[in-house]
Each structure stands twice: as C-alpha cells, then as structure tokens.
Amino acid sequence: MKIRLFLGLLLLFPSLVFSEETLKLGGDIRSNLYVGLVYGDIYNYFNSNVITLKGESRPSENVQGNFELRFRNENISELDRLSELKYRKYVEPVSLQFYEAYIQFSSIFFKALDLRFGKQRIAWGTADGFNPTDNFSPMDLEDPLDFKNKLSVWALNANLYYSSFDLSLVLQPLFEPALLPNFDLIGSASNQMMQQYSERLNEPLVRIPEFRARNFIYGTRLRYKGELFDISASYFHGYAAIPVLRDIMIETGGFALKSITPALSYPSQNVAGLDIAMNLFDIGIFGEAAVVFPDGIKPTYYVNGNRLEEKDKKTFGIPEGGVSVEDKSYIKFAGGFDYTFKGGYYINVQFVRGFFNELSSSALNNYIFAYMKKDFFDSVLQIQPSFGLELDTDKDEIFGGEKIRDEKAYIFSLETTYIPFNTGRIILGGAMARGDSGSNLKMFEKLDQIYLKFRLDF
Amino acid sequence: MKKVFIILFVLFFISSVLSAETAQDVLKKVESRQNEAKDAEIQVRITTIEKDGTKKTKEGIIFQKGEEKRVFKFTSPADIKGLSVLSTGKDTRYIYLPEFKKVRRIAGHVKNQSFGGTDFTNDEISSTKYSDDYDAVELKEGTETRTITLKRKEGSDREFDRIVAEVTADYVIKKAEMYKSDKLVKVLEVSNINKHGKYVIGEKMVMKDLTKNHSTEMEMVKIEFDKGLSDEIFTERFLKK
C-alpha cells in the first residue's frame, strides 16, 4: 500500500512542478533522403529521420531552462555479418543527440547581466553562413553542403548590457570537435608519402585537447548597436575547426615498410575579429573579418617510435619541408549584401576569403557565394538557387604539392520548397560541384546529389 | 435686438471658420489617436485568406511604446514561434531567428515586403506615422465619417503614392484605400471600434490585396494600454528570451 502511494506521488510530483505554465514543449519531425549521383563513391545514399524535442521552462521571470533533444535514426547500416542481423542497433541504428541543455539567469546578480550555463549554441558574427568570428560552436558537416549547421558546446556565457553596448564573456572548458563529413576534408591524404604508400595506411588517429585549464577555450566580444550601424570587436582563444596532420608514425620490419599511422590534432589559434552590419540605400550590408594567429604545425615523422630528423628524411624518401599550419597570421573575411527587388526577388551575395578548411596563410582562396529566393503562389512554393565560385589560387606547396595556378571551381544547387500548410514543408533539391585539380571546392564533386526532405513543426 | 443677433451671427461665423479643421489637422489627430497611449501590449490573431478560401492563422504579441518602439513576437504556429521583430526607429529593425539563435539587422529593402506572409507590409506593421511621408491634401465631410486624401511627399520611399482614408468622429481610420499610379491596390477596413479605458481602437482590421485577390484579418484578442512597459522590452536581449 505504501509503495503504491509512493509511486502515485512520484508520478504526480512532476506534473505539480512542471505544470503547463512553466514547461513548454515543441519541436519538429524531419525525414531526409540524399541520393548520390556518383554511384560507388561516398554518397550512394544517406537517410536520416529525426524527432527534435525542444523544451522551455520558466519557473520565474529571471530563470529560464531550455533543452533540445534530437532522436535520430540513420541509414540502414552496412550489414556484413549474419550475427549483426540479431541486434536492433545494427538493423535500425538510432542515436540521441543532446543538442542543447542550459539554464539562464537574468538580472539575478546584476540587473544588466545574463548568465547562461550549459550546452548551448553560441552564435557570433553578422555574415550569412560564413562567419570567421564564430569560433565557439563547431561545424556539423553531416550534410557537408549545409555550412550553417553548427553543434553546441558546454560553456559559461555572460552577457552584460549597457545602453547601446553589450559585452559577452565566454568560457568553454570542454573541447568539442566538429562533425566531419564522410570524405577527406582535411587534406591529410595530400601528403605525398601517404599517397605513395596508401595500401599500408592505417586509419588516422586524432588527438583531442586534454581537459586542462591551459587548454580552456575563451573569448570576449564588445558590441555597439546604433541607429546607422552595428559594430562589434571580438577576441577568441581556442582551436581550429578541423584537425590537421601532426605526426606520422612509420613502422618497419627490417627494411620493409609495415604500416603508416597518421595522427592529427587541432591547432590552437587566437582570433581577433571585427564585424559590421548596416543599411545603405535600403541595401543590407554586412562584413566580418578575423585576423587569425595560428600556432604553426609541421608534421613530425617517427620511425619505430624514434623521431626522424630533417636530415634523415631523404633516406626514407620523405620530402623535406611541408607544413600543416604555417606559423603566420592571416585574415579571413566574409562580406556582402542582400536586397529584395520588386516582385519579391531576394538576393544575397557574399565575398569570402578563406574557407573553413583553409587554416594557413598560403592556403586561402577567394570565393563568391550567392543565392536567390522567390516565393510563388502566395508563399506556397519557394525556389532557391545557390551558387559558389572559387576564384583565386592558393600556394599549393603547403602540402608539398605541385604549384598549380588559377584553379577554378564552382558549386551549384537548386532547392524547391513546397509549403502545403503552415507547419509543413517538402523540399526537393539537388547540388553539383566541379573544379580544377588543386581547387578546394573540387572535394564536393563526390557529393553530386539530389535530395528530398520532409519537415513538420509542432 | 437686431444688432445683437447680427453680432452673435458674425461671432458664430468667425468661430466656425477659425475652428474648421483642415485635412492636415485631421491627419495629425488620427496619428495622435494612434499614439495616444504611452504603451500597449496587444495579443493578435492574424488570419490570411487565400484566393481559394484557404485560411492560415498566426498568433503573436505586439509591444509598443511611443511612436517608434515596437516588438512583434510570433507565438504560433510552431514553425515561426519565437521569431521576433524589433523596430526602434524608421530604418532600424532587427529580426531574431530562433533556429539559428541569431539576431540580424534588417535592411530597409524589406519594409515593403510582406510581414510574415500577410497582406500587411513590414512598414505597415511597424509604422503609425504617416505625416512624415504624406501630405493630407483634401478633406470631404460625410454623414458619419470624413474622408481625407493623402499624397506622398517628394523623396518618400513609401509604397503608395495616394491613400484615401475614411475617419470617424473619434479620429479612428475606418477604411483606407491605397493607390499606386491611380490604381487601387489595397483596401484596409477597420471594424469593432471600441473604447478601452480612455482610448479608442479598432479591434479588427482586414487588409485586402486586390491585385493578388488575397486578404488578411488581424484581430486584437487582448489589449492592454499604459502597462508601464520597460524600455528593456525594446532590446535585442528581450528578443532572445
């Protein structure tokens, strides 16, 4: 009897604490199917089914808790053992993504102070899609063509407001890596030795920054919002978005090469940023620049655990020189404009210097990205063509490659969205990329695809 | 006695001439009426009606203070819940996109674009002052209402070059016809004109776009005036909450 009473109270208690007034739930259901047009390569198809659950609790005016969970079912797994058919995790792989879970205290300690603790998305920068000053939240490249998708991080985020100014201070003690796509984004395979001995190549290792105070990630931003423009200055200390080649471990047996194991790590960097947004003759102008001060990384070779000196590299057929990250500052930039023409034709054009995987001064290329949006039939149908063009050349010797100048590449996509009712969307789209050898966008050639996406918000 | 009547008649005539309102006076009083309250918090329901009769409904809250500060927060449907627009000046607008956790400054080119898929433009939703961009050039007296004609000023970038508005005795716009190059493009009809405390407001507005054969109804579900709204509501900080 007592147990029943206890269980009854236990069931009743949450509803007393989390009454309808304090907890609000919402979310969406999504189903996506990508079909690769280059069969046999990395993108035959990819399917994901996601239920997103978002919750917000406001037990008082000054305290707010938010969470976002994503329940995912992805791809029919590549089964190749009979025994795997007995386990649901292989037949129906599912995962739980803890996207956000944070608590915010507003005006608790000081009236103008908001403090947010927990896993959260930190979004800096005014440019659209490419934000060189937005370095806390790593990229989510599950869909490699969606450059706006980011992961959240565990951080302490303080925002202080005063008149037209606000000051942000962020401390992120735990490193969170980017989710990489299923192809060689890093370019470690450009290493000449690894190309030559590819059959002896082990899967690369990756070293995450250890959890130590000296490895903490932090930053600050001061913003001014005025009548004519908004401007902000920021500083970030942390790590680059993607790992680079740090060590190459060679194992030999006698005079025969047994294996090569690359090891990657995340180069640390300091970033000073500036961004501005304004309205000029009704045209939206935005610009974001980041001066990056990287810690240079030159790959170190080990043979049977012993570090190989520069002078001995030739003995093993390893070219001298070559760096993963140059010890030299550089500027990344994203700037552009947007405008809506008569008839509702919206365009957004950006010039970008330095793609997210370009981590050295010599590796930077110039790009132009543009997209257009137009609604039809009372916003029931929306068409969005997008275009990206790689303009300039980097200095290819950074990976010890050939000096090829004036590589060009482009990427094109077309997306049609049908909105049959307020909260539902059906999206049909496709993308293709072509590029000269040595261009950066050429890596997307393998992703020629069409896709079909469904979404329902609740 | 005859002299007294003549003097009284002359005095009455002079006072009538002196107190006769001009079209511009009426416009000023309409604006004054619209911005009479120190602040307002209004829950609205916006229903768009397509050509085929299909209806789509959105709900939101409007916070307003003075003539220039306004926040519109969508509360439903789910796909735009939390999306908010802040206006703090004629060309100073921000939008909060909850999906990206970002506040973006909106450029002036959106002001004549549809607000949230409705027949109201962003400008029409956020602006309550017409005298900056229009001159009231004509006034016609009617039985229950008066009609003023507004002509766009040189250099103004407002969408319509002429607006003909019917105004009630309480200086509330009951109907407005919007013209582009002498072509009637949109019609606004206001109904359920009621008193809330000392303020008079039309609780239902219907905007018809004659070119698209499309209309939008905006109903004020709950209206509260002079709540003492803090300036903190009209900040980016509030948009993100």
Side-chain angles (χ1 to χ4, degrees):
Chain A
M1 179 65 183
K2 281 183 185 174
I3 293 170
R4 282 183 192 171
L5 185 63
F6 173 73
L7 287 171
L9 285 170
L10 199 62
L11 286 167
L12 185 61
F13 184 70
S15 68
L16 291 174
V17 172
F18 298 110
S19 65
E20 207 179 295
E21 289 81 36
T22 59
L23 179 65
K24 291 178 188 167
L25 293 174
D28 59 69
I29 301 170
R30 303 187 206 199
S31 188
N32 305 323
L33 178 67
Y34 302 83
V35 178
L37 299 177
V38 184
Y39 184 78
D41 221 309
I42 52 100
Y43 220 56
N44 291 345
Y45 71 90
F46 176 72
N47 164 247
S48 68
N49 305 292
V50 186
I51 298 172
T52 304
L53 190 64
K54 297 180 196 178
E56 181 188 286
S57 173
R58 281 180 187 267
S60 84
E61 199 185 309
N62 297 337
V63 183
Q64 175 185 336
N66 286 73
F67 67 84
E68 183 174 327
L69 303 174
R70 295 179 184 175
F71 300 92
R72 311 173 60 89
N73 158 241
E74 292 159 6
N75 259 8
I76 301 168
S77 69
E78 292 163 3
L79 302 166
D80 56 8
R81 291 170 198 273
L82 182 62
S83 58
E84 288 171 350
L85 289 172
K86 297 178 189 174
Y87 298 99
R88 188 173 294 280
K89 65 179 179 181
Y90 295 115
V91 175
E92 275 195 304
V94 294
S95 61
L96 173 62
Q97 181 185 4
F98 224 93
Y99 187 69
E100 275 192 316
Y102 64 82
I103 301 167
Q104 177 162 306
F105 298 95
S106 301
S107 307
I108 294 275
F109 304 104
F110 299 107
K111 194 172 178 226
L113 180 65
D114 287 344
L115 283 173
R116 185 182 284 193
F117 302 90
K119 204 157 191 297
Q120 58 192 283
R121 167 79 172 95
I122 298 170
W124 285 6
T126 51
D128 192 1
F130 299 95
N131 300 99
T133 64
D134 187 18
N135 293 298
F136 284 99
S137 294
M139 300 187 77
D140 183 342
L141 293 170
E142 179 186 78
D143 178 357
L145 297 175
D146 186 354
F147 306 128
K148 291 183 184 176
N149 227 355
K150 293 241 180 169
L151 300 172
S152 57
V153 294
W154 200 100
L156 287 77
N157 188 354
N159 287 284
L160 195 62
Y161 299 90
Y162 179 72
S163 185
S164 302
F165 294 89
D166 63 79
L167 177 69
S168 300
L169 296 166
V170 179
L171 175 66
Q172 181 191 332
L174 304 171
F175 174 79
E176 174 103 21
L179 180 68
L180 297 182
N182 192 16
F183 60 87
D184 180 24
L185 179 72
I186 296 164
S188 56
S190 300
N191 180 282
Q192 195 175 336
M193 181 176 208
M194 290 192 285
Q195 280 178 350
Q196 192 176 350
Y197 300 107
S198 57
E199 72 280 2
R200 296 270 186 261
L201 206 57
N202 290 335
E203 187 176 350
L205 304 174
V206 66
R207 294 177 188 139
I208 306 284
E210 287 179 341
F211 178 59
R212 287 184 168 191
R214 68 172 187 216
N215 291 338
F216 282 4
I217 299 161
Y218 50 86
T220 184
R221 182 184 66 174
L222 178 65
R223 271 197 310 179
Y224 167 74
K225 287 188 171 307
E227 215 176 295
L228 296 176
F229 59 85
D230 299 339
I231 191 166
S232 70
S234 62
Y235 168 74
F236 167 85
H237 169 82
Y239 299 91
I242 54 176
V244 299
L245 197 58
R246 166 87 61 178
D247 300 319
I248 299 170
M249 278 87 71
I250 302 167
E251 294 291 323
T252 63
F255 292 106
L257 175 68
K258 283 171 75 177
S259 68
I260 302 173
T261 307
L264 289 77
S265 69
Y266 292 83
S268 81
Q269 58 184 17
N270 293 290
V271 181
L274 193 69
D275 75 73
I276 189 164
M278 64 171 81
N279 182 21
L280 205 61
F281 306 115
D282 285 351
I283 300 171
I285 310 275
F286 50 86
E288 202 174 316
V291 184
V292 183
F293 301 89
D295 284 350
I297 294 179
K298 194 173 174 181
T300 306
Y301 290 78
Y302 295 86
V303 178
N304 297 329
N306 299 310
R307 186 187 169 128
L308 199 63
E309 301 299 325
E310 278 292 318
K311 57 181 172 58
D312 297 324
K313 277 184 177 176
K314 266 189 186 168
T315 314
F316 289 86
I318 297 167
E320 289 179 63
V323 293
S324 295
V325 177
E326 291 174 309
D327 188 11
K328 191 177 161 189
S329 64
Y330 58 89
I331 297 177
K332 278 193 171 178
F333 176 79
F337 67 91
D338 69 344
Y339 189 72
T340 308
F341 291 94
K342 265 186 185 173
Y345 293 89
Y346 171 81
I347 61 159
N348 182 309
V349 182
Q350 291 189 79
F351 169 80
V352 175
R353 172 145 180 89
F355 211 53
F356 59 84
N357 66 333
E358 293 167 353
L359 304 179
S360 276
S361 169
S362 306
L364 301 179
N365 284 305
N366 296 324
Y367 304 84
I368 289 182
F369 291 96
Y371 70 91
M372 197 194 85
K373 227 189 266 189
K374 172 80 177 89
D375 290 349
F376 298 92
F377 309 117
D378 296 323
S379 303
V380 169
L381 193 68
Q382 188 182 84
I383 294 187
Q384 181 174 323
S386 309
F387 186 72
L389 179 66
E390 184 175 337
L391 286 177
D392 205 355
T393 180
D394 55 2
K395 293 175 188 169
D396 297 287
E397 64 265 28
I398 189 169
F399 289 121
E402 289 177 38
K403 287 182 188 177
I404 302 171
R405 300 285 170 183
D406 298 326
E407 304 106 338
K408 296 283 187 294
Y410 71 85
I411 185 165
F412 174 75
S413 77
L414 180 63
E415 190 170 279
T416 307
T417 304
Y418 172 55
I419 307 170
F421 49 91
N422 263 348
T423 55
R425 270 152 184 72
I426 301 172
I427 301 166
L428 177 65
M432 62 178 283
R434 291 291 180 270
D436 296 331
S437 174
S439 63
N440 194 30
L441 294 184
K442 187 177 171 65
M443 65 178 157
F444 294 115
E445 274 186 1
K446 297 181 179 184
L447 296 179
D448 285 359
Q449 61 187 248
I450 53 174
Y451 55 82
L452 186 60
K453 299 180 185 176
F454 300 87
R455 176 171 173 162
L456 174 70
D457 289 85
F458 58 84
Chain B
M1 194 63 179
K2 199 175 172 183
K3 271 189 191 171
V4 170
F5 278 123
I6 291 168
I7 291 165
L8 281 172
F9 177 76
V10 168
L11 281 170
F12 175 75
F13 179 75
I14 291 168
S15 68
S16 296
V17 168
L18 287 174
S19 67
E21 284 180 321
T22 62
Q24 200 67 19
D25 293 333
V26 173
L27 177 61
K28 288 277 182 194
K29 283 184 179 172
V30 165
E31 286 180 344
S32 178
R33 171 67 79 189
Q34 284 179 341
N35 297 302
E36 216 172 8
K38 292 194 193 75
D39 58 57
E41 181 177 327
I42 306 170
Q43 287 181 30
V44 295
R45 184 179 301 124
I46 304 173
T47 306
T48 54
I49 302 162
E50 318 288 333
K51 267 186 282 206
D52 60 1
T54 313
K55 291 184 181 181
K56 291 181 186 176
T57 302
K58 296 177 170 95
E59 292 180 350
I61 305 177
I62 299 174
F63 300 92
Q64 177 153 341
K65 189 169 182 178
E67 289 177 359
E68 290 192 328
K69 291 183 183 173
R70 183 177 278 213
V71 168
F72 190 108
K73 251 192 189 223
F74 282 101
T75 53
S76 78
D79 61 328
I80 54 170
K81 184 181 170 182
L83 193 144
S84 313
V85 179
L86 164 67
S87 302
T88 56
K90 198 180 171 194
D91 286 318
T92 313
R93 290 187 188 90
Y94 298 89
I95 185 166
Y96 174 59
L97 303 166
E99 189 156 344
F100 300 106
K101 307 277 191 245
K102 261 190 160 176
V103 175
R104 288 199 71 194
R105 190 176 180 119
I106 313 174
H109 61 84
V110 300
K111 62 182 166 212
N112 292 327
Q113 301 308 313
S114 161
F115 173 75
T118 70
D119 295 289
F120 293 92
T121 62
N122 290 300
D123 208 23
E124 285 159 355
I125 285 287
S126 59
S127 169
T128 57
K129 224 175 168 211
Y130 285 82
S131 56
D132 288 345
D133 297 284
Y134 289 92
D135 288 318
V137 296
E138 191 182 47
L139 170 65
K140 280 184 189 163
E141 297 286 346
T143 45
E144 289 177 6
T145 60
R146 286 183 284 182
T147 303
I148 53 171
T149 302
L150 309 183
K151 199 177 164 194
R152 190 175 58 202
K153 290 181 180 176
E154 279 288 328
S156 166
D157 54 3
R158 288 280 189 136
E159 193 184 358
F160 303 106
D161 43 49
R162 184 164 61 99
I163 299 175
V164 177
E166 273 181 42
V167 177
T168 66
D170 289 321
Y171 300 99
V172 174
I173 291 179
K174 198 173 171 191
K175 185 177 177 181
E177 293 173 344
M178 286 152 253
Y179 292 83
K180 263 190 210 175
S181 307
D182 286 329
K183 187 183 170 189
L184 182 60
V185 176
K186 280 164 104 170
V187 178
L188 172 71
E189 289 173 348
V190 181
S191 57
N192 296 7
I193 298 172
N194 293 314
K195 242 187 164 173
H196 288 262
K198 52 183 179 174
Y199 306 116
V200 179
I201 189 168
E203 292 170 7
K204 186 173 175 180
M205 291 191 276
V206 179
M207 180 72 89
K208 289 179 190 166
D209 189 321
L210 302 177
T211 56
K212 294 179 190 171
N213 196 11
H214 193 274
S215 64
T216 301
E217 286 178 8
M218 186 185 293
E219 287 175 78
M220 310 211 180
V221 174
K222 187 179 174 187
I223 307 168
E224 292 173 275
F225 289 115
D226 296 340
K227 282 187 76 174
L229 295 180
S230 166
D231 282 339
E232 284 180 7
I233 289 174
F234 305 95
T235 60
E236 181 186 316
R237 187 184 183 191
F238 179 78
L239 289 189
K240 292 195 276 192
K241 280 188 178 172

